[in-house]
Structures are given as structure tokens and as C-alpha cells.
Amino acid sequence: MGDEHPLARRPGTSVAARRTARVVESRSTLHPGTADELGWHVGDTGFEVVLSARLPELVGAHLLGDVKALLVEHDLTPDQVPTWVVHAGGPRILDAVRDALGLDEGHLAHSRESLRRAGNLSSASVLHVLAATLEASSAPPGSPAVLMAFGPGVSTELVLLRLDGAPGAPTSTATGARAGQRAGAAA
């Protein structure tokens, strides 16, 4: 929509004052044998969601290994990541993420709030959570963040981010736009 559009601004802030994030790396993992656990069935009446009751168990079983594989290439471990942006796919999914990664409830606050206010927005959920997380983040500039979403098959989508600027500190408008575009393409 561009920086000049009214929706690009929040009351009392300028686009240049917002915290942004840059994409460092992304990774997609499709877990074999899970095609019938999450996805869509196209029928005569339209799309029907396929959502297995086992989904939280599957996410929990694979997530730590997926996250470690992303982070190890950047000499990071999960306990060195202060910011987590998690697809608000449901309370049991959030619980599985928390338990698999050993996160505090505070790391999931924006995800739970998004779920409470808007429900599961499917893929767009993680971008909704990203916006809230960047707005509230107090992590130092340059800090790593991990964005994650879950999709059909069961697949895990991970994006390693670096936070730019500090809350209220001037940041490049162009950098923020590029990070938003890349994060949107990754989700």
C-alpha cells in the first residue's frame, strides 16, 4: 500500500519510527507421511479444511529439530532468541510450540491475543502476530527473532529475522517495506 497510505500509519507514529526486521534466512520442512493431517479438501461445495486432532502432537514432535537446524548455521541456539513470532493456529498448537521449545507464556502473548481477537487467520495469522510483536518489542537492535507458521502436509515454515532499530528509534522506511514484503512472501 505504500508509506503514504493512511493505513500505513498508526496514530501518533511515523512510518520511519517503527521497528522493522530483516530476513536472514528461511527454511521449509514438509514432514513425510502427514499429507492427511492438515490441508484442504476441494469438494462440490467448495473448500473444506482438513485438520487432524494429532496436529499439535506432530508439530511438537518435529519443531525443536527444525528450529535447531535453522539456527545452528548462524551459531545460535533457541535460548539465544529473545523474540518468537508464532502462527496463531489454535490454543493446542501454541501449547505444543511452547512445550517443544521451552518458551515462556510471554513469548506467545501476541499469538494468543491474535487468536483471541481474530481467530485463526490461516497463513495471514503470522503477519498479524509479527506486526504486534514488532510494535511491542523491547529486544536490542540486531537481536534474532524466529517467525514460524504451519501449513499443509504438515509443513513448518521458519524465518530467521534480525530486528532493526529500537522501539521509537528512527529506522529506514525502505528497510521496513522490504522486510514486510519478504516476511509476507515467506508466510
Side-chain angles (χ1 to χ4, degrees):
M1 70 182 134
D3 296 341
E4 300 305 316
H5 192 283
L7 293 177
R9 290 191 173 82
R10 300 221 165 121
T13 65
S14 71
V15 173
R18 288 196 190 157
R19 172 151 248 188
T20 60
R22 29 187 184 94
V23 173
V24 175
E25 185 176 340
S26 64
R27 180 175 302 244
S28 298
T29 305
L30 176 61
H31 300 288
T34 61
D36 296 333
E37 307 291 341
L38 176 63
W40 297 96
H41 171 72
V42 181
D44 293 338
T45 59
F47 289 90
E48 299 172 25
V49 69
V50 174
L51 191 60
S52 166
R54 291 186 23 181
L55 188 56
E57 173 189 334
L58 293 167
V59 166
H62 298 287
L63 186 59
L64 183 58
D66 293 343
V67 168
K68 283 182 174 181
L70 172 74
L71 295 177
V72 72
E73 295 178 18
H74 300 277
D75 296 322
L76 292 169
T77 60
D79 62 323
Q80 294 173 307
V81 176
T83 306
W84 297 87
V85 180
V86 182
H87 172 193
R92 290 183 58 220
I93 294 294
L94 295 175
D95 291 347
V97 169
R98 179 198 61 212
D99 296 346
L101 299 176
L103 300 179
D104 295 329
E105 264 308 308
H107 289 114
L108 301 172
H110 297 296
S111 299
R112 291 202 192 273
E113 180 63 12
S114 175
L115 187 60
R116 186 187 71 74
R117 295 180 95 195
N120 183 351
L121 300 170
S122 193
S123 312
S125 167
V126 76
L127 297 178
H128 190 252
V129 174
L130 175 62
T133 301
L134 289 175
E135 186 175 321
S137 173
S138 61
S143 295
V146 173
L147 179 144
M148 68 183 69
F150 308 101
V154 168
S155 59
T156 304
E157 304 293 331
L158 298 171
V159 181
L160 177 61
L161 304 167
R162 288 282 178 186
L163 301 179
D164 288 329
T171 58
S172 164
T173 303
T175 301
R178 285 193 305 273
Q181 291 167 354
R182 286 190 297 253

